Amino acid sequence: MGRRSRAREVALQMLYQVDLNPDVDGHAVREMITERLEEEPLREFAWTLFAGVMEFRGALDEQIQELAPNVRLGRLAATDRNCLRLGAFELLYTETPHRVLIDEALELAKKFGNEQSAAFVNGVLDKLVPEEKRLAESAE
């Protein structure tokens, strides 16, 4: 597993933790990230992903829900829901190439979800790729 992949995995675990236990505060999350990742740049990357998802969670949830109208986000498994949030955050708010982050999200969905998780995550995130990002990456 790549280093940034490991940081994404830790960010997903923290999102899952907070999703199921909303009383967990940011300091506790920071400590858990520090315990799981040795390198400071990876800790910061994981924290940036976690904090970004938390900051934009409402908007992310709305966009995800629009793309999957037949599935209530609250009824999804917490792992799938947070995998989608994490992927959507990276798609919409970072410069990470969409192919890279969708692949990363699929690996997380396969690892932590069920048999259908990866296909569902792939379908939703692919629909969410901003057109300008898709065009910019295809031109490279």
Side-chain angles (χ1 to χ4, degrees):
M1 172 183 299
R3 296 168 9 159
R4 285 174 68 98
S5 296
R6 175 71 182 127
R8 283 184 181 91
E9 180 178 304
V10 170
L12 177 64
Q13 290 169 335
M14 297 304 104
L15 291 166
Y16 178 86
Q17 175 81 354
V18 170
D19 198 7
L20 297 182
N21 303 301
D23 295 337
V24 175
D25 69 5
H27 296 293
V29 169
R30 272 250 196 224
E31 286 178 27
M32 289 185 276
I33 289 173
T34 299
E35 290 169 7
R36 288 168 172 81
L37 297 170
E38 293 181 14
E39 297 177 46
E40 187 58 32
L42 296 180
R43 290 175 180 166
E44 284 304 311
F45 180 61
W47 173 255
T48 299
L49 294 176
F50 170 81
V53 170
M54 294 306 294
E55 180 179 350
F56 296 104
R57 187 166 67 178
L60 295 170
D61 286 356
E62 283 180 27
Q63 289 179 289
I64 293 166
Q65 191 62 69
E66 285 176 20
L67 297 173
N70 298 330
V71 179
R72 290 205 20 221
L73 202 55
R75 289 186 161 274
L76 281 178
T79 51
D80 293 353
R81 181 171 52 245
N82 287 293
C83 194
L84 283 169
R85 287 171 174 159
L86 181 60
F89 172 75
E90 276 201 270
L91 264 177
L92 301 172
Y93 298 100
T94 74
E95 297 299 316
T96 306
H98 76 276
R99 288 183 181 94
V100 171
L101 67 91
I102 289 176
D103 186 54
E104 292 284 334
L106 293 179
E107 291 305 314
L108 290 171
K110 287 176 188 174
K111 183 171 184 174
F112 295 106
N114 62 35
E115 292 176 9
Q116 295 84 27
S117 296
F120 180 69
V121 167
N122 183 50
V124 173
L125 292 181
D126 188 59
K127 290 179 193 174
L128 194 58
V129 176
E131 192 60 32
E132 61 275 6
K133 198 168 199 173
R134 199 179 298 270
L135 291 172
E137 290 175 28
S138 67
E140 293 176 1

